């Protein structure tokens, strides 16, 4: 699997870029392109329960104002929104908040590990495309 954010361009441009790179570097290597529409973090913004758990405050009630549904793919900077939302959900202050924020990459990884493949992320077209691409790759492997 090769992951590359679509950023501002069409997802198909990234798939073509991945295909070309794989064929150049490792001809014949079977692969699946993983192309979130904007950034991978957009996939993580929809599961508030998971976000609060990773923020070490699963029972927190502070409002997070997370995007709903496909709107997550239209966020200008989903990585920053995820960072801010984790910090807000933690409800930490001062030094403890600063230490918490330094572990963002670990928090993001944990959220990816906990991502429910049949949960809220299924409303995103980029997720459904990824699942379809993955299914197609497994069909090829099983021939």
């Amino acid at each position: 699997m090769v992951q590359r954010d679509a950023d501002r361009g069409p997802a198909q441009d990234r798939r073509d870029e991945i295909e070309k790179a794989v064929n150049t570097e490792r001809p014949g290597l079977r692969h699946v392109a993983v192309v979130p529409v904007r950034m991978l973090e957009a996939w993580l913004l929809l599961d508030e329960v998971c976000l609060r758990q990773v923020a070490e405050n699963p029972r927190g009630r502070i409002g997070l104002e997370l995007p709903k549904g496909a709107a997550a793919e239209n966020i200008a900077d989903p990585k920053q929104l995820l960072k801010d939302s984790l910090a807000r959900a933690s409800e930490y202050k001062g030094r403890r908040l600063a230490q918490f924020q330094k572990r963002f990459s670990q928090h993001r990884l944990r959220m990816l590990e906990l991502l429910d493949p049949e949960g809220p992320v299924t409303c995103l077209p980029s997720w459904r495309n990824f699942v379809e691409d993955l299914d197609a790759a497994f069909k090829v492997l099983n021939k």
Side-chain angles (χ1 to χ4, degrees):
M1 292 182 14
V2 180
Q3 189 266 325
R4 180 87 162 93
D5 293 338
D7 292 329
R8 289 170 174 70
Q12 189 57 50
D13 288 354
R14 291 297 189 203
R15 284 187 187 89
D16 294 344
E17 180 182 303
I18 290 167
E19 181 76 23
K20 182 179 177 184
V22 169
N23 287 337
T24 298
E25 296 298 320
R26 302 281 307 266
L29 179 70
R30 293 180 180 160
H31 67 280
V32 176
V34 179
V35 184
V37 167
R38 192 131 293 309
M39 291 182 187
L40 183 71
E41 288 80 6
W43 289 356
L44 305 177
L45 288 169
L46 298 175
D47 192 341
E48 184 175 343
V49 172
C50 178
L51 192 146
R52 289 183 187 278
Q53 180 181 349
V54 171
E56 303 168 0
N57 190 11
R59 292 195 175 119
R61 296 287 175 228
I62 193 165
L64 301 179
E65 300 176 24
L66 297 172
K68 303 291 184 212
E73 293 185 331
N74 297 321
I75 301 297
D77 190 352
K79 182 182 284 187
Q80 188 62 50
L81 180 58
L82 183 62
K83 284 180 183 178
D84 294 345
S85 297
L86 282 163
R88 193 167 37 258
S90 75
E91 298 186 43
Y92 292 141
K93 305 284 186 234
R95 189 175 300 149
R96 196 164 185 197
L97 176 60
Q99 291 301 315
F100 176 84
Q101 289 176 311
K102 287 180 183 177
R103 299 190 315 268
F104 174 71
S105 60
Q106 294 168 322
H107 297 138
R108 180 180 50 202
L109 175 60
R110 185 67 182 138
M111 288 190 74
L112 285 167
E113 291 171 345
L114 295 173
L115 181 67
D116 179 357
E118 296 177 2
V121 73
T122 59
C123 73
L124 299 177
S126 63
W127 177 260
R128 290 192 305 269
N129 290 338
F130 164 63
V131 171
E132 289 169 10
D133 290 348
L134 194 57
D135 286 343
F138 281 126
K139 286 178 184 171
V140 168
L141 288 174
N142 289 326
K143 284 186 179 181

